[in-house]
Each structure stands twice: as structure tokens, then as C-alpha cells.
Amino acid sequence: MTLRHSLYLTFPGNAAEVLTYYRSVFGGELTMMTYGEMGNLDEYPFAPDPDWVAHGELRGTVNVSGGDGGDHPLGSPVYSMVIYGDDVEEGRALLDRLAEDGGEAIMPYEQAPWGDYYGQVRDRFGVIWAVAASVR
């Protein structure tokens, strides 16, 4: 078995907007299917809008999957998405892109006590992204 990872986020009705935004930040290939395309809407434990994304997947350097699932706000201080790399300036540029258009830096991107560069941004949708770049 080949294992791969993907984040899965449940969106409050704006999955198409968020996933399209993440594609603009991370690049990759994005596919989406709506609930209307899936078929019988009565099979779900909630009443989805037929235009909502039932499943979306961004595949690339960063993999993100998700769909619309009701009135669940994104963002919580109890978790963050962590991206590791080995290029300090690329890490800085990624955090800058996530902070654009309403995001906010919540931890400056600088050399941490353990030697790597590290910083955090809450994107405009409320999701916290951490970027670490190894300098070893």
C-alpha cells in the first residue's frame, strides 16, 4: 500500500471559494463535485445545497481535501496545518501569500530556538497555517 496524506476540512458553504483560493496559494490540480452532481440529496444527515461542494481535492505540493457540510465555522486555536520545507525564503513567501487579502500573521516568521525558521498565519477563512523551514 502506498500511503499519502491530505487535510480534510469541512466548510460552511464556501468550499469552492476556499479550495480555489488554496490552489492560487499552493498550486496543484483541483477537482470538485457538487452535491447536485452526486445524486439523491435525501441520503445526507443534513440538507445540503445542491451547489455546495460534496467533495473537493487539491493535489500538489500541499494536499487539501474537503467539502461543504453545514454551519461549521473554520478555524480553531487548537489545531494548525503545518508545512515543512528547506528553503527559508520560500517559507516566508508562502506565509506572505496566506496573509494576503485579509489573513493575519499570528507568529512572526523568524529563526526559532531550535534552529529552524517558523511562523504562523491565520488565513482569511480562519485556518491557521504554520510554516517551518529547516536550515540544517
Side-chain angles (χ1 to χ4, degrees):
M1 172 181 359
T2 300
L3 300 176
R4 64 185 186 96
H5 75 283
S6 181
L7 309 172
Y8 192 94
L9 299 172
T10 300
F11 302 101
N14 63 342
E17 177 187 6
V18 180
L19 291 171
T20 300
Y21 169 73
Y22 289 157
R23 183 182 182 285
S24 75
V25 171
F26 302 122
E29 181 181 331
L30 176 61
T31 57
M32 292 187 275
M33 179 178 279
T34 66
Y35 283 101
E37 293 169 324
M38 296 283 286
N40 187 357
L41 298 179
D42 296 330
E43 296 178 359
Y44 299 97
F46 59 95
D49 182 307
D51 294 328
W52 278 4
V53 174
H55 181 72
E57 186 172 13
L58 175 64
R59 287 188 182 187
T61 305
V62 174
N63 297 322
V64 180
S65 298
D68 291 312
D71 190 23
H72 305 288
L74 285 176
S76 169
V78 300
Y79 70 87
S80 62
M81 311 309 164
V82 183
I83 300 170
Y84 294 97
D86 58 9
D87 184 312
V88 172
E89 290 311 311
E90 186 178 343
R92 185 183 317 281
L94 180 57
L95 281 173
D96 287 347
R97 286 195 306 272
L98 286 164
E100 290 174 355
D101 300 323
E104 83 175 290
I106 56 176
M107 182 178 283
Y109 186 69
E110 56 191 31
Q111 196 160 19
W114 59 88
D116 294 345
Y117 276 74
Y118 181 86
Q120 294 181 349
V121 165
R122 183 183 321 275
D123 72 23
R124 69 184 194 203
F125 300 103
V127 176
I128 298 172
W129 294 90
V131 174
S134 177
V135 293
R136 294 176 223 155

